[in-house]
Amino acid sequence: MQTKTCEQCRNDRIAIGKNFYELPAWRRYLGAALIYLPLFLSLPFVLLGALILYAHLAILGAKNLKGYRDFLPKGNTFRYSSMREQITFRFDPTAPWASLKVFWAFNCNLYCPLSVGLYEWSTYLVKTVENFWCPFFHERKPFYEASAIDQSYWHIDPENRQKLHPEDREHHIWNEDSV
């Protein structure tokens, strides 16, 4: 079932699929190889950073903090979770791996969910730390709502709480009393 999209929605989309086969093969394969490079280079640092942030928040007494597993899809929700059902790409003599089920099973069942989950978990933790230590509104704060907290560092002490700008003092992202 297709839904109609507004003109602005169409203009905001990233154009990539329409031009894929217009590119020379070497660019497509180099681009495909570069999918893995950022993950392999940054994975240890992102994982270490997320673990340190998680420890930081846990040491400060954070409760109900989400873990990495909370950001991974359940195995039974994968559309192509078995090798029998796994889709492949049509055979391309210059990219024979694209027609292998094992290649796509690795990408669809491991690479994508594990890497996206790690980056989402890390982002969630960074936003939680930001909400705790910095309850000052700015244009990006609405995007931090998934990491809402009960009180910020500045809300804990009544004297400091009174020093906050009224909108910062009462904002629901870092003040559960405002919900």
Side-chain angles (χ1 to χ4, degrees):
M1 178 175 155
Q2 288 187 338
T3 59
K4 293 182 180 179
T5 59
C6 67
E7 191 64 32
Q8 182 62 42
C9 299
R10 229 176 277 122
N11 292 337
D12 288 344
R13 287 182 181 269
I14 298 168
I16 189 170
K18 294 175 185 175
N19 306 321
F20 188 76
Y21 284 111
E22 293 173 14
L23 297 172
W26 72 268
R27 282 191 56 189
R28 293 194 312 264
Y29 303 139
L30 177 61
L34 291 177
I35 291 170
Y36 301 99
L37 191 59
L39 180 65
F40 293 135
L41 291 177
S42 66
L43 179 75
F45 302 105
V46 173
L47 182 59
L48 181 62
L51 291 171
I52 291 170
L53 288 176
Y54 190 86
H56 162 74
L57 292 164
I59 288 169
L60 289 179
K63 304 288 185 216
N64 302 324
L65 198 56
K66 293 180 183 177
Y68 176 48
R69 287 191 179 130
D70 294 313
F71 293 86
L72 299 178
K74 305 288 183 264
N76 62 355
T77 64
F78 289 102
R79 190 174 310 277
Y80 307 106
S81 59
S82 75
M83 287 296 272
R84 189 180 78 250
E85 298 167 332
Q86 182 62 52
I87 62 171
T88 63
F89 205 68
R90 66 178 182 195
F91 183 73
D92 180 346
T94 62
W97 61 87
S99 64
L100 299 175
K101 286 187 176 192
V102 70
F103 173 76
W104 292 107
F106 167 78
N107 279 288
C108 298
N109 297 314
L110 290 175
Y111 171 79
C112 287
L114 295 178
S115 60
V116 170
L118 175 63
Y119 285 101
E120 286 183 347
W121 181 51
S122 180
T123 300
Y124 160 80
L125 293 170
V126 168
K127 289 176 179 181
T128 303
V129 168
E130 164 74 5
N131 285 343
F132 182 70
W133 290 107
C134 182
F136 309 119
F137 192 81
H138 54 72
E139 67 177 319
R140 300 292 298 170
K141 264 314 188 191
F143 296 101
Y144 297 13
E145 290 200 27
S147 297
I149 60 175
D150 58 349
Q151 294 180 338
S152 78
Y153 176 75
W154 299 94
H155 287 85
I156 296 169
D157 178 54
E159 189 176 317
N160 281 335
R161 183 185 194 116
Q162 291 309 312
K163 293 178 186 176
L164 292 171
H165 184 279
E167 291 176 10
D168 294 333
R169 186 172 45 244
E170 301 303 323
H171 202 284
H172 67 276
I173 290 177
W174 50 80
N175 184 358
E176 72 180 348
D177 294 336
S178 295
V179 178

